[in-house]
Amino acid sequence: MSKVLIVFASMTGNTEEMAEAIRDGVRDAGIEPEFKSALDASGSELTEYDGILLGAYTWGDGDLPDEFLDFYDEMDGLDLTGKKAAVFGSCDSSYSSYGAAVDTIIEKLKELGAEVVLEGLKVELNPSNDEKQECFNFGKQLVEKLA
């Protein structure tokens, strides 16, 4: 059976709410994912999983959040060839770059050889019930890509 890892950074709880709904979707598809805050995860762990879901809010004008930086830096040099990945995060349209952290993480995953199998999921601030359903479906879709 495939192994799935969900790692996220959340300051106000918005990205964590997304991560929880995604986790529920992965579970619904038959896999119990590993679920971690970026502060409790190590970039090197990514090599142990078939499916990777990374989530981060965008800080300021397009930066990764501080609590995601160590994890992101630890990804350097990994070989993620054969891994299926997807990225999500809460965003704020009042900034010039909408959800740039999601795009930054997608590029990093691609550089490391991962196959990014879903378009980055960006939600304005806190997810509505409909957006939580989108997150749930996002988790299920990643599992479908592993089959």
Side-chain angles (χ1 to χ4, degrees), residues 36-117:
K36 294 184 172 197
S37 161
L39 293 171
D40 298 324
S42 168
S44 63
E45 291 179 70
L46 297 179
T47 61
E48 301 168 25
Y49 294 86
D50 308 298
I52 299 165
L53 288 153
L54 301 180
Y57 63 94
T58 300
W59 182 249
D61 284 325
D63 298 323
L64 290 170
D66 286 346
E67 61 269 36
F68 201 86
L69 289 176
D70 287 344
F71 179 83
Y72 183 83
D73 290 342
E74 290 167 1
M75 291 169 63
D76 285 343
L78 295 179
D79 180 4
L80 299 181
T81 304
K83 309 294 182 188
K84 310 263 192 216
V87 182
F88 62 95
S90 65
C91 310
D92 186 341
S93 60
S94 68
Y95 290 105
S96 59
S97 288
Y98 186 73
V102 170
D103 303 328
T104 299
I105 297 166
I106 287 172
E107 287 309 309
K108 177 77 141 198
L109 286 166
K110 287 179 178 177
E111 286 171 19
L112 299 174
E115 181 185 355
V116 178
V117 295

Side-chain angles (χ1 to χ4, degrees), residues 8-31:
F8 65 93
S10 187
M11 178 187 290
T12 60
N14 297 338
T15 302
E16 185 170 7
E17 278 187 63
M18 293 178 71
E20 289 168 348
I22 290 167
R23 176 187 63 197
D24 293 344
V26 172
R27 283 178 174 158
D28 190 68
I31 293 177

